[in-house]
Amino acid sequence: MSDDAVIEMSGVAVANPHGSDVPVVASVDWRVARGECWVVAGQQGSGKTTVIETAAGLRPASRGEVRLFGEPLPSPAGEAMARLRQRVGFVFEGAGRLFPDLGVAENIALPLRYHRHLTAAESSAELRPLMEAFQLERFANLAPGRIGRAWARRAGLARAMASRPELVLLDNPLEGLDPVHLRWWRGFLAELVHGHPWLGGKPATVVIATDELRPLLGIGTRFATVDGGRWKVLGDREAVSASDDPAVRELMDERN
Amino acid sequence: MDSVHLPSRSVSIVAVAAVRARAAGATLRRLVAFTLIAIGTLVTKAGKSPQVMRPLMTEQVFRVGVKLVPIVCFLGITLGIVIVGQTVTVLQTVGAVKFTGMLLVTVVIRELAPLVAGLVVLARVGTASVIELATARALGEVEALEALGIDPIHYLVVPRVVGFTVAVATLTAHFVLLALVSGYAFAFARGLPLTLTGYFGDIATALSWADFPLLALKTSLFGAVTGMIICYQGLSQALRLEEVGAATTRTVAQCVVGCLCIDALFVPVYLLL
């Protein structure tokens, strides 16, 4: 196990989230090095979300070993896991799973207030640059249900970024976005990969699950697919472009 | 050896009872495990993240306690008239007025008030809380908390259990006070020869000092058990929309059984006073 590995999965059977004994993906061998941007592509329902949730330690694996930042995953309820999760940002699909009883700004500030015991004023001051960069200031005091889905997803991203994570996992971030939001997200992801000012200009390690490869081809540096319960590492951009795998071509939207 | 044949209906009743008993046992085991985890979290994370947790607890105390003060006051006054007023009148009629204090302490303070407060909290807030938690679980809010490194038991369960515990205890005190006062007012209005000092003097004499901590403990346990069962039913499994109604019904039944079991445990203690 090398020092610069952020995620390591060896022989991992990804458990079925619906309780079935049959794993969603039979065997995942995957190593994500620091600074890489992985794109995990698969059709809807293929299990790509479950794979990245397992990698982030949000779901237990049926079999095999998952290591984050070189360490095996600690007990889910312990303080060690809580500390580990502060180094990981997870952006959920859809409207970002914001907490409906908190305002947008309160949602974003929650990890800082919980872990670093900041007051509302302190967290607000600290998060102002992030809110501005994400154009969320005007929604700060609104309930998540009062803002559009695309803005809610952006707020979910801001919440995941609040604690300045080293590893960012995003589940289908570009799904169903209008051209303006799509452009913003592509710009943000490119910046994240090359070094976002919020993260001190350091390139983050990024994993993006998607059901469409093409919009992320220019952003990802490494690619993998989940298809029919099988995990397949494709390699770099050139390997994806050169792949004659029908599943890959379909995810590249070349059958339409 | 001859085999013994039971009538088929008896066999099926026994079989159903056995299945139900096993299911109840399994639920109880899971509930105890959930309670132990929650108590562990409450103890190990006491005082952690006060900036987030204190407002959550205050909100729950307000929601479960303060907002229910009017309905509990109304029930205190009406049940005071109905039960205390009538009891005092009957005791006067049969010449057993010297038992007024003892009867009111036993019936109203020790038994009726905690049960009424517990049931009001369960009906007005408990059922809504099950739906709220089940929805949070179904919408993935529990995973969202875990992803942020926030313990869902600490964030979702602890404030509710604290809120229910404080609320049932304080609402019981409101109920007791208003029931006794309104009962006296009813008796006074009917022209019974009962002085205010005599009435409350009888009650004070019948009360022992142990009644105060015991009442606090009993009502706190009612609140804690109700809160724990509500959180368990709302969070322990991912519910589909059509299952939420059944979970709510189960919660009410389990809370009532839980509170009555606690009540029964206090009977021998009260008999020793």
Side-chain angles (χ1 to χ4, degrees):
Chain A
M1 307 285 175
S2 63
D3 289 342
D4 70 339
V6 176
I7 299 173
E8 287 163 292
M9 294 171 83
S10 14
V12 169
V14 177
N16 192 311
H18 304 297
S20 161
D21 290 338
V22 182
V24 175
V25 184
S27 180
V28 178
D29 290 291
W30 188 23
R31 182 180 175 282
V32 177
R34 195 170 291 278
E36 283 184 336
C37 176
W38 277 80
V39 175
V40 178
Q43 290 177 0
Q44 286 183 4
S46 60
K48 57 189 183 302
T49 298
T50 320
V51 170
I52 67 165
E53 284 179 348
T54 307
L58 293 174
R59 290 187 185 281
S62 302
R63 195 185 59 236
E65 190 189 24
V66 180
R67 295 170 79 94
L68 270 179
F69 304 106
E71 299 292 331
L73 289 179
S75 154
E79 280 300 312
M81 183 59 108
R83 279 195 297 277
L84 188 68
R85 281 182 174 147
Q86 290 171 62
R87 299 172 69 187
V88 180
F90 197 100
V91 184
F92 290 93
E93 192 176 17
R97 295 196 193 174
L98 298 177
F99 305 114
D101 48 344
L102 300 177
V104 169
E106 288 171 321
N107 260 284
I108 296 168
L110 182 63
L112 292 189
R113 298 196 64 200
Y114 186 87
H115 294 297
R116 287 172 46 196
H117 310 167
L118 300 187
T119 62
E122 288 166 343
S123 61
S124 171
E126 178 154 347
L127 290 171
R128 193 165 298 126
L130 188 69
M131 297 287 282
E132 283 171 9
F134 284 36
Q135 300 159 18
L136 289 168
E137 311 102 297
R138 64 195 156 117
F139 304 119
N141 297 318
L142 294 181
R146 301 275 309 277
I147 64 174
R149 194 177 164 84
W151 288 109
R153 192 181 305 170
R154 208 184 280 197
L157 171 67
R159 187 178 64 184
M161 295 292 292
S163 53
R164 294 185 164 87
E166 297 162 53
L167 166 66
V168 184
L169 300 104
L170 306 102
D171 187 11
N172 232 349
L174 307 184
E175 181 219 7
L177 293 175
D178 64 39
V180 174
H181 279 286
L182 190 62
R183 203 161 38 247
W184 183 89
W185 272 87
R186 284 170 56 86
F188 168 79
L189 290 172
E191 210 170 10
L192 190 63
V193 171
H194 294 109
H196 196 280
W198 178 251
L199 301 178
K202 281 194 296 188
T205 308
V206 182
V207 175
I208 306 169
T210 183
D211 46 23
E212 207 183 345
L213 265 172
R214 185 170 293 281
L216 294 164
L217 205 54
I219 294 167
T221 54
R222 306 277 293 158
F223 296 81
T225 57
V226 180
D227 181 40
R230 284 183 301 117
W231 168 260
K232 188 175 175 186
V233 172
L234 300 174
D236 58 13
R237 279 172 210 149
E238 287 69 34
V240 176
S241 301
S243 172
D244 55 1
D245 183 338
V248 176
R249 303 269 48 104
E250 210 155 50
L251 291 165
M252 289 283 282
D253 200 22
E254 289 186 354
R255 290 282 169 94
N256 294 339
Chain B
M1 197 172 111
D2 293 336
S3 60
V4 178
H5 293 285
L6 290 169
S8 60
R9 181 173 287 186
S10 306
V11 170
S12 65
I13 290 171
V14 170
V16 168
V19 169
R20 289 270 170 94
R22 267 202 300 275
T27 303
L28 186 63
R29 273 199 304 278
R30 285 195 295 268
L31 186 56
V32 168
F34 182 83
T35 304
L36 291 175
I37 292 169
I39 291 171
T41 306
L42 186 66
V43 172
T44 56
K45 294 190 173 158
K48 182 179 162 63
S49 310
Q51 299 289 349
V52 173
M53 298 309 294
R54 275 195 202 138
L56 283 177
M57 288 185 199
T58 310
E59 185 196 324
Q60 286 299 324
V61 170
F62 180 77
R63 184 184 173 209
V64 189
V66 179
K67 282 177 95 173
L68 296 191
V69 167
I71 180 79
V72 167
C73 288
F74 172 75
L75 287 172
I77 292 167
T78 50
L79 287 176
I81 292 169
V82 171
I83 295 171
V84 182
Q86 286 193 70
T87 306
V88 172
T89 307
V90 170
L91 290 175
Q92 287 278 353
T93 310
V94 300
V97 74
K98 63 178 177 180
F99 297 114
T100 303
M102 190 185 77
L103 210 58
L104 293 185
V105 166
T106 308
V107 174
V108 176
I109 300 177
R110 290 179 185 167
E111 300 301 332
L112 186 65
L115 277 176
V116 168
L119 290 176
V120 167
V121 162
L122 176 63
R124 286 293 297 269
V125 188
T127 48
S129 293
V130 178
I131 296 167
E132 185 184 284
L133 289 170
T135 310
R137 169 92 199 245
L139 295 177
E141 286 174 37
V142 173
E143 286 86 354
L145 284 170
E146 286 174 343
L148 297 171
I150 298 172
D151 182 350
I153 299 281
H154 190 218
Y155 188 83
L156 296 174
V157 176
V158 169
R160 281 175 174 79
V161 172
V162 170
F164 275 82
T165 306
V166 173
V168 175
T170 49
L171 289 174
T172 301
H174 283 78
F175 182 91
V176 166
L177 197 65
L178 285 161
L180 294 179
V181 169
S182 66
Y184 174 76
F186 178 79
F188 182 78
R190 291 208 56 205
L192 295 178
L194 192 65
T195 63
L196 188 63
T197 48
Y199 173 77
F200 281 105
D202 278 354
I203 293 170
T205 310
L207 274 174
S208 90
W209 283 111
D211 270 307
F212 295 98
L214 281 174
L215 186 65
L217 180 65
K218 185 176 178 177
T219 51
S220 301
L221 283 174
F222 276 18
V225 165
T226 303
M228 207 63 86
I229 292 172
I230 284 164
C231 293
Y232 169 75
Q233 287 294 348
L235 291 174
S236 64
Q237 50 196 323
L239 297 173
R240 291 193 300 275
L241 197 58
E242 64 271 23
E243 293 171 329
V244 173
T248 311
T249 313
R250 257 195 323 270
T251 305
V252 171
Q254 289 176 3
C255 287
V256 170
V257 170
C259 288
L260 289 176
C261 287
I262 292 167
D263 212 4
L265 290 176
F266 275 81
V267 172
V269 182
Y270 281 134
L271 289 177
L272 289 174
L273 294 180

